Amino acid sequence: MKTTVSSSDRIAEIKHLLRFVVHEPKRLFLCLFLSATLGFWVWLGPRAVGNFIQDVIVQGDRSLALKLLGVVILAELMRLTTWTLMSMGYARLGQSVIETIRRAMIQRILRLPVPILDQTTSGSMMTRVVNDASALTDFFQHGFVSVLGNIIILGGLAFGIGSISPSLGQILLLVFSPILVACVFFSQALQRAYETARSELSELNSKISDYFFGMRTIRALGDQAQKLRSSDERVEAYLQAQKGSVKVYSLFHPTLTLGTGLMMIVLCTRGVKDVQSGQLSIGDWVSLLGYLMSFQQPLVEISDRWNFFINGLTSFTRIHETLTTPTEWSSGPTAPPFESIHFVQVSFAYPKTRGNALTDVEFEVRKKQRLGFVGESGSGKSTLLQLIYGFYTPTSGKLLWNGIDFEHYSKDSIRQQLGVVEQFPFLFVGSIRENITLFGKTPMDEQDWESLALYCGEGSLVSELVKKRDTLVSERGANLSMGERQMISFLRSWIQK
């Protein structure tokens, strides 16, 4: 798992995220239009207040009072309305993007090579699909909308300051620049803290997943106390990682507030001198004051929502890693009907292990032949099946399908002609009927079920399973005996082939 992200990687991730966003061009265009409109209303409000002070109060032109007051009220109402519409638009856009990303992740996971899945913990994968996707939801609904909207507001305020007094605007920018540099530093530190917290959360999820599925073994061995100590260590590690992110974030908000305060001091010293010297009118100074006072709210909101923003980007780093992992190769022509499988001097070693699981294996099995492999545990019997299914490729040697290299054909077309019944079969959550037919992949009507029971004989295990075919199977088939699970797996393979 990645712990650091380079700038080039971050740019690639943002480009990848934007590809999902642009899938909704109309909604995206509307959101961008509202964002630009928001900047205009933010600029107009303080400017109209300054004109009201200068023209109506200082110069005494009462004829403009109602007009300018109406502009001020209109600008504020439109700012609030535009912000509301923009927030709703980005929220809906975000939900659509999240839905697309979730589907893309599930599709990618279903096509990941088995070696990748074997080297990835279930907790890590679940963290990406559930926790990281949820963090990305917060990124769009809270972080992205707030940060983008407030950056636009700051842009409108900066434009207003520069349009009134470019020289004073440059001084204010110079004063605020060190604060911006500090904020960049805090953002990087916050991102590292979130990455560490995500890593610890993955480890914790993996632990809990192992405990849950191995609970019978843990109870039988009386190992609860040791497992509790181990889980306590992971919980403590996750807590410390969370504390690290809170510590960094607690310094972020005061830094922004300090920047606003420094700019206000500059305005009250240099700005007053400019008014006294005639370089600024009182109305312009009031407009500048309004712009600076408006600076505080968006900066505070950015600091409050920045954790959602960084957390979302950190989560998408992991999502991006999954979405860009190469999928299993499955192209090529359809394999012809099975006639023979030939292992030609096949050797194989699992990744990150010493020694071969298979060495120079040579055999051939033809259609209608029966071939059995006998050997002690670890002798490579299961590895042979892994190679036949194309989950792994030989380190050396070749596998031939009807005399042609396996790699010539698509793996899916070969697997469709194979069936496997494992010693410890996997059952899906659903009914017995759904597990046998793979949720309708191979349709079976009631007559087919009755024929199956009749063929196997009254009182047989198959007939009993047929009778309770609508019984729900709990997770991993925990409410069925091992024999029932194996028979369901056999029937599933039999009717599929």
Side-chain angles (χ1 to χ4, degrees):
M1 182 183 301
K2 297 179 181 179
T3 56
T4 58
V5 182
S6 65
S7 58
S8 59
D9 289 337
R10 178 63 73 198
I11 292 174
E13 292 165 9
I14 293 176
K15 288 182 178 179
H16 193 180
L17 179 59
L18 290 177
R19 285 201 294 270
F20 287 104
V21 175
V22 298
H23 282 173
E24 295 277 347
K26 293 182 179 179
R27 186 167 291 166
L28 176 61
F29 175 79
L30 176 61
C31 291
L32 293 176
F33 172 76
L34 290 172
S35 299
T37 305
L38 177 64
F40 170 76
W41 297 117
V42 167
W43 165 81
L44 181 61
R47 189 59 177 162
V49 171
N51 289 339
F52 182 87
I53 297 294
Q54 183 66 29
D55 296 339
V56 178
I57 297 180
V58 177
Q59 298 181 1
D61 189 353
R62 304 289 179 121
S63 62
L64 296 176
L66 291 178
K67 180 180 179 180
L68 292 174
L69 185 61
V71 172
V72 173
I73 296 174
L74 176 65
E76 184 62 19
L77 289 176
M78 292 304 298
R79 184 185 69 82
L80 294 174
T81 302
T82 305
W83 177 268
T84 301
L85 294 176
M86 186 189 72
S87 299
M88 293 174 58
Y90 278 115
R92 291 179 179 178
L93 177 64
Q95 287 294 333
S96 177
V97 171
I98 295 301
E99 179 185 5
T100 304
I101 290 177
R102 283 187 190 274
R103 290 181 177 179
M105 285 190 67
I106 294 173
Q107 291 173 0
R108 176 69 59 159
I109 290 171
L110 289 173
R111 300 298 301 176
L112 287 178
V114 169
I116 297 294
L117 296 175
D118 287 344
Q119 297 172 37
T120 306
T121 63
S122 59
S124 174
M125 196 59 69
M126 288 301 296
T127 299
R128 298 184 186 197
V129 176
V130 180
N131 299 84
D132 289 333
S134 296
L136 205 57
T137 301
D138 291 334
F139 166 80
F140 276 107
Q141 291 187 338
H142 304 293
F144 183 74
V145 174
S146 180
V147 171
L148 177 63
N150 283 293
I151 286 177
I152 292 172
I153 289 177
L154 291 175
L157 296 175
F159 174 79
I161 292 174
S163 63
I164 293 175
S165 177
S167 60
L168 186 56
Q170 292 175 0
I171 296 174
L172 293 174
L173 178 60
L174 184 63
V175 170
F176 196 69
S177 294
I179 305 298
L180 291 178
V181 174
C183 289
V184 172
F185 170 78
F186 284 131
S187 296
Q188 293 174 344
L190 190 60
Q191 181 180 331
R192 289 193 295 269
Y194 278 130
E195 288 169 352
T196 302
R198 285 291 174 187
S199 177
E200 293 297 340
L201 179 59
S202 295
E203 295 295 331
L204 179 59
N205 284 342
S206 296
K207 283 282 185 183
I208 295 175
S209 178
D210 287 343
Y211 295 167
F212 183 78
F213 291 119
M215 190 59 67
R216 286 181 173 83
T217 303
I218 293 173
R219 296 282 181 83
L221 296 175
D223 198 31
Q224 296 98 314
Q226 192 278 333
K227 297 301 182 187
L228 180 60
R229 287 193 296 270
S230 179
S231 62
D232 283 344
E233 293 175 358
R234 292 261 61 91
V235 171
E236 179 64 23
Y238 180 52
L239 174 62
Q240 295 303 322
Q242 289 285 72
K243 285 182 177 180
S245 62
V246 172
K247 181 179 179 180
V248 175
Y249 181 67
S250 64
L251 299 173
F252 194 20
H253 190 292
T255 302
L256 290 174
T257 304
L258 174 63
T260 305
L262 291 175
M263 289 194 298
M264 192 66 70
I265 293 174
V266 171
L267 179 64
C268 292
T269 54
R270 173 62 185 271
V272 170
K273 290 182 179 179
D274 289 345
V275 171
Q276 293 174 343
S277 64
Q279 296 182 27
L280 277 179
S281 66
I282 294 179
D284 288 339
W285 189 89
V286 170
S287 294
L288 290 173
L289 180 63
Y291 287 132
L292 279 188
M293 291 180 64
S294 299
F295 251 86
Q296 179 72 18
Q297 181 180 354
L299 286 175
V300 169
E301 288 193 12
I302 288 177
S303 66
D304 288 340
R305 300 295 183 176
W306 193 248
N307 58 335
F308 290 110
F309 191 81
I310 295 298
N311 196 17
L313 289 181
T314 303
S315 296
F316 190 74
T317 296
R318 297 157 56 85
I319 292 174
H320 172 77
E321 185 179 345
T322 300
L323 293 177
T324 54
T325 300
T327 58
E328 182 181 70
W329 176 82
S330 191
S331 59
T334 301
F338 167 75
E339 294 294 337
S340 68
I341 292 177
H342 190 185
F343 276 59
V344 182
Q345 296 295 307
V346 170
S347 297
F348 175 75
Y350 285 99
K352 299 181 180 180
T353 59
R354 294 182 178 180
N356 288 340
L358 297 173
T359 302
D360 295 333
V361 174
E362 177 88 35
F363 73 89
E364 183 178 15
V365 57
R366 293 184 173 275
K367 186 177 181 180
K368 297 184 179 181
Q369 281 186 330
R370 296 182 180 180
L371 183 64
F373 294 92
V374 180
E376 61 184 11
S377 296
S379 60
K381 302 184 298 296
S382 298
T383 302
L384 288 173
L385 288 178
Q386 300 265 31
L387 294 176
I388 291 175
Y389 265 85
F391 295 152
Y392 288 90
T393 56
T395 306
S396 63
K398 291 184 178 181
L399 268 73
L400 305 181
W401 178 275
N402 298 350
I404 305 297
D405 196 320
F406 263 49
E407 298 298 319
H408 177 71
Y409 301 114
S410 73
K411 293 181 179 180
D412 288 342
S413 65
I414 291 178
R415 291 169 185 165
Q416 289 174 0
Q417 301 187 53
L418 301 173
V420 62
V421 181
E422 298 176 328
Q423 182 180 359
F424 302 102
F426 181 86
L427 298 185
F428 301 96
V429 175
S431 66
I432 293 176
R433 178 201 300 267
E434 290 170 332
N435 269 276
I436 293 176
T437 64
L438 282 181
F439 296 84
K441 180 180 178 183
T442 303
M444 290 183 64
D445 56 27
E446 295 305 312
Q447 184 177 355
D448 292 331
W449 288 105
E450 296 300 330
S451 298
L452 177 62
L454 183 64
Y455 176 78
C456 295
E458 183 67 27
S460 65
L461 178 57
V462 173
S463 66
E464 293 302 315
L465 289 173
V466 169
K467 290 178 182 178
K468 58 180 185 180
R469 56 186 175 274
D470 291 317
T471 300
L472 291 179
V473 178
S474 61
E475 192 170 25
R476 292 177 177 256
N479 60 334
L480 299 176
S481 69
M482 183 58 69
E484 288 176 319
R485 296 182 219 172
Q486 290 174 341
M487 182 55 70
I488 290 173
S489 179
F490 171 78
L491 292 174
R492 178 168 62 195
S493 176
W494 184 38
I495 69 171
Q496 295 294 324
K497 308 305 174 185

